[in-house]
Amino acid sequence: MLAMERLGYVLGVFCAGVALLYGVWGDWAEPVGVVGLTLGALLGFMIAGYLNITRRKLDGVPPEDDPLGEISDIAGDFGFFSPHSWWPLWLAGSAAIIFLGLAIGWWLVALGTFFAIPALVGWVFEYWKGPHAL
């Protein structure tokens, strides 16, 4: 986790430096490149910050950061994953329709949104009630 955190900081610093260089070299005449590189820098810093906060919450050294760690140290549950849920597929199809609508027409975005809202609500509240409630 520490290596990924450092990669996030490296990406953020690199993109920020290139954004500054791009802006100075282009005499700040073309803002799209500067904005894109600045957003890339913010993305790198955001990932690194999240990993930093997560690493500090863990007890001791995470198994992936221990140079003397064994493969079996990282074994165990990594979270809860729903094996029977169809909502992510429904939501992905809706997102595909929405993004296709950006290329074809806004009416298709409205149709995709019509399908995406119930899919999102269904996925969020899947374990609220019913046979699979937690």
Side-chain angles (χ1 to χ4, degrees):
M1 189 176 297
L2 186 62
M4 293 183 288
E5 179 185 335
R6 288 180 181 164
L7 280 174
Y9 286 130
V10 167
L11 176 69
V13 169
F14 175 77
C15 285
V18 171
L20 184 65
L21 181 68
Y22 186 83
V24 170
W25 195 339
D27 203 23
W28 304 101
E30 196 271 319
V32 176
V34 176
V35 169
L37 287 166
T38 303
L39 290 175
L42 292 175
L43 174 70
F45 289 131
M46 182 179 66
I47 291 171
Y50 169 76
L51 290 173
N52 186 1
I53 290 169
T54 305
R55 184 176 50 84
R56 286 187 293 160
K57 285 182 182 178
L58 297 175
D59 297 335
V61 178
E64 62 267 17
D65 289 341
D66 186 11
L68 301 176
E70 297 290 329
I71 296 293
S72 61
D73 292 343
I74 203 166
D77 290 335
F78 284 102
F80 176 75
F81 302 100
S82 180
H84 56 269
S85 179
W86 286 88
W87 291 113
L89 182 65
W90 183 269
L91 191 60
S94 303
I97 291 172
I98 290 171
F99 287 121
L100 184 65
L102 294 175
I104 293 178
W106 288 103
W107 63 271
L108 202 53
V109 172
L111 181 68
T113 304
F114 177 75
F115 289 119
I117 291 172
L120 185 61
V121 169
W123 195 15
V124 168
F125 292 109
E126 181 175 16
Y127 291 101
W128 190 264
K129 289 185 178 181
H132 304 294
L134 293 176

